[in-house]
Structures are given as structure tokens and as C-alpha cells.
Amino acid sequence: LPTRAGSSLEPEEHSMEPPAMPEEMPLTTASGPAGCQLFGYVGIEAVLDQMKIKTMKTGFEFNIMVVGQSGLGKSTMVNTLFKSKVSRKASHAGQEERIPRTVQLQSITHVIEEKGVKMKLTVTDTPGFGDQINNENCWDPIIKYINEQYERYLHEEILITRKRKIPDTRVHGCVYFVPPTGHWLRPLDLEFMRRLSKIVNVVPVIAKADTLTLEERAEFKQRIQEDLKTHAISVYPQEDFDQDPDDRALNDRIREKIPFAVVGADQEHQVNGKRVLGRKTKWGIIEVENPAHCEFPLLRDLLIRSHLQDLKDITHNVHYESYRVRRLNESNRP
């Protein structure tokens, strides 16, 4: 009999457990389906202010890499993005401006501040990429550099006594400059993006888009999209990492316009009584921040205003995580 009583009581106890959860859950919200409400102001929303104050004190870290042939305006584009001389070029023609025989990576770090928000910005340039007659394996130094930053972060992370805040030198975004040929993507472009898209967020752009007419630009962009789809190259923002319908809808609109046709300029000109960034030609002034002239505003919004944190999250949770798993598997292998 005790066993029967015990067995008969068990389903009653289990049946009592599910209703207990809905009764407790509405207490965490202002109002719930059962009509439960908070009796007064608790101050939960102050967490957002705490996070903002703490983040503004510590600041952000953002690391960007620009890849492309010489003369495509990589340094100018970075200066235009951050409206400051964050990417320096040689002041006079000399030994430094000669085309290097191999790909050399140069990193420049700045701390820029806007309205109390500090950002430690590291710009990595890749002089010599694609400038040789034989460009075989010219992506190897870039892949090596990206993996070295992952290795450096991993080494700090697995220490027994590690730093409270690990310095983040990992590349969060790689902007790849496609020459404005108006034809198809070159084998070099396809091979680079195929290899690099597996380890870093690659954002392709059409450089110096003012050399193309609007019709040529639209046709070239469509051909690039077809090439990327044919060769199964997943550039940022990747479809696999959309977390909810709102993200997917926003990223779908961005994917329709990738690669962005951009024009860079670091000089201001007078247009209708306003000072605007642009390139002056004998036909007029190409306004960099005017969406009717080029798609630079879309690139700036993607990299800074809307997806900067997402770039960092995907770098940490996807690309770095896959590297970490691979390295730890290698070390545990007998």
C-alpha cells in the first residue's frame, strides 16, 4: 500500500509543477497574462545606464583590415570613414612608396573619441597585395597574421592567472577592395574571399566607383553577386548567423546592395553653402556622403553605426571559437 500511495502521489506532484512556473514568471515584467503587476518603480532599467557608464570608461576596441591593390584608395577610404588621419601615407615619393616584393602588413593604432565615447582603433594595411605579376599565395601572410592574433588571444585566455581584460587584437572586419573593371571578379579576388571568409568577416566594396557609370555599376554589382553565389562564398553579413526575423530582414536589405560602390575623399569642398567631403572634377563635385552619388554612407553605417558590435560578436563567437576548438583538439591529440 505505501508503494501504491507513493506511486499515486507522484503524478499529482508532477502535475503541480508546470503551473508554478507561469505564476512566478510575470513577476519579472511590468504586467503579465495573469494580471500580476509591479507595485512600484524597481529601477531595473537603470542597468542600461550602468552598462553605458562602465563601457564609456573602459572604451571600445575595433580592429579593421583593408586589402586591395595599390592605388584603389584604401588609406583615403579609412580616413573618410573615421573623418581623421588614421591611415598615414608617405609624405614624399621614396623608398617607402615603392611596391614591396611581398605582402607586408602595417598596423596603426589610434584612440579616437566622440561625445565621451573612446574607441581604440587599429587599422591594418596590406601593401604589396596583388601588385606582382605572379600573385600565387599572396594571401598567406594575411591568413598568418589573422591566425596569429587568434593565437595571442587564446594564449592569454588559457593562462591560470589571466588578465581581467584581455587585449583584443583580433581582426573584426576585413574590407576587400575590388578594382572597378566592370567585368567579372578576377580569380585572385575569388580565391582571396573564399579563403578569408572562413576565418574573418569579409566586406567587399567596389573601389573608385566614380569611374563607372550608374548602369555599369549596377551590372558589375550583379555579376559580383552571381560570382559569390556560384562559388559559395559567404561574405558579411552571413545568412547563417541571423538570429531573429528582424535581423534577417535588415541583413537581407544589406546583402542586396553588397558589394558597396564607394568613393573616398579626405578634402572638404563648398556645395550650396555647406562644407562637404568630396572629390572635385571638372564636371562637378562627387559628394562622398550623398547616397545619390555613391554608397559610402551604407558602408559607414554597416561598419560603425549598426553592425560594429555584431562584427565583434561574430569574430569572438564564430571565427575565434572555431580556431580555439581546432587548436585545443590539436594539443589534446596523442
Side-chain angles (χ1 to χ4, degrees):
L1 285 173
T3 55
R4 289 179 184 176
S7 61
S8 63
L9 284 174
E10 283 179 1
E12 290 181 8
E13 289 177 354
H14 288 306
S15 63
M16 291 295 288
E17 288 178 3
M21 291 300 292
E23 289 178 6
E24 295 175 2
M25 290 300 288
L27 294 177
T28 61
T29 58
S31 60
C36 292
Q37 294 183 353
L38 299 177
F39 296 114
Y41 178 71
V42 177
I44 299 172
E45 63 177 3
V47 174
L48 296 175
D49 296 330
Q50 297 172 33
M51 293 171 64
K52 182 179 178 182
I53 293 169
K54 188 174 181 180
T55 306
M56 288 179 71
K57 285 181 180 178
T58 56
F60 295 91
E61 290 174 319
F62 187 58
N63 309 315
I64 187 171
M65 175 183 280
V66 287
V67 183
Q69 285 181 273
S70 300
L72 291 181
K74 300 187 296 296
S75 300
T76 305
M77 177 56 59
V78 173
N79 291 340
T80 311
L81 270 173
F82 298 98
K83 293 190 176 180
S84 57
K85 301 289 184 181
V86 293
S87 183
R88 295 192 297 267
K89 293 186 288 187
S91 57
H92 60 278
Q95 186 71 22
E96 294 180 355
E97 285 192 334
R98 292 180 183 174
I99 297 174
R101 293 184 178 180
T102 57
V103 179
Q104 300 173 358
L105 282 86
Q106 302 173 352
S107 294
I108 303 171
T109 301
H110 298 271
V111 177
I112 56 180
E113 186 174 350
E114 184 181 36
K115 295 184 179 179
V117 180
K118 293 181 181 179
M119 183 168 72
K120 184 181 179 184
L121 172 69
T122 301
V123 179
T124 304
D125 198 357
T126 55
F129 177 84
D131 291 334
Q132 309 303 321
I133 296 174
N134 182 8
N135 290 302
E136 187 178 4
N137 298 329
C138 64
W139 45 78
D140 284 348
I142 299 173
I143 294 175
K144 182 182 176 184
Y145 175 82
I146 293 171
N147 286 332
E148 280 175 355
Q149 309 317 307
Y150 290 151
E151 183 66 30
R152 184 180 298 180
Y153 194 91
L154 177 63
H155 177 72
E156 291 287 342
E157 197 177 45
I158 62 177
L159 290 175
I160 296 175
T161 55
R162 58 185 180 184
K163 298 176 182 177
R164 194 171 176 183
K165 188 176 189 302
I166 300 174
D168 191 1
T169 59
R170 298 169 298 180
V171 178
H172 300 128
C174 173
V175 182
Y176 184 72
F177 287 71
V178 178
T181 59
H183 301 294
W184 300 91
L185 284 174
R186 303 169 303 170
L188 174 63
D189 303 326
L190 289 169
E191 191 63 23
F192 176 86
M193 286 192 277
R194 186 182 69 81
R195 290 172 181 265
L196 268 291
S197 61
K198 297 175 183 177
I199 62 171
V200 72
N201 298 313
V202 177
V203 181
V205 298
I206 300 172
K208 295 193 172 181
D210 52 331
T211 60
L212 300 171
T213 64
L214 295 177
E215 292 78 10
E216 290 172 339
R217 193 173 80 180
E219 188 176 354
F220 188 36
K221 184 180 291 194
Q222 186 176 358
R223 287 177 176 177
I224 291 175
Q225 290 174 350
E226 291 174 5
D227 270 346
L228 294 175
K229 190 176 293 185
T230 302
H231 293 85
I233 298 172
S234 180
V235 296
Y236 184 83
Q238 301 92 332
E239 289 187 28
D240 298 339
F241 307 146
D242 293 338
Q243 295 183 348
D244 54 60
D246 292 336
D247 288 346
R248 181 171 292 276
L250 173 62
N251 291 338
D252 282 342
R253 291 196 296 270
I254 294 172
R255 282 187 280 265
E256 289 174 1
K257 302 193 176 189
I258 279 182
F260 300 126
V262 298
V263 178
D266 48 13
Q267 293 183 353
E268 289 187 337
H269 300 278
Q270 196 82 15
V271 177
N272 298 327
K274 295 181 180 179
R275 302 289 295 177
V276 297
L277 281 170
R279 290 170 52 86
K280 189 174 182 180
T281 67
K282 64 180 181 180
W283 299 281
I285 294 176
I286 302 167
E287 300 176 35
V288 169
E289 295 179 310
N290 188 342
H293 291 191
C294 76
E295 294 177 337
F296 168 78
L298 300 178
L299 175 66
R300 179 193 57 203
D301 291 350
L302 177 70
L303 292 179
I304 303 173
R305 298 186 180 180
S306 63
H307 286 66
L308 187 146
Q309 189 58 47
D310 188 57
L311 283 163
K312 297 180 68 173
D313 291 342
I314 290 180
T315 299
H316 181 76
N317 298 326
V318 179
H319 298 304
Y320 168 70
E321 189 66 20
S322 63
Y323 178 84
R324 188 186 69 86
V325 169
R326 187 172 72 250
R327 286 287 289 114
L328 293 179
N329 283 334
E330 289 173 359
S331 61
N332 292 333
R333 203 171 291 161

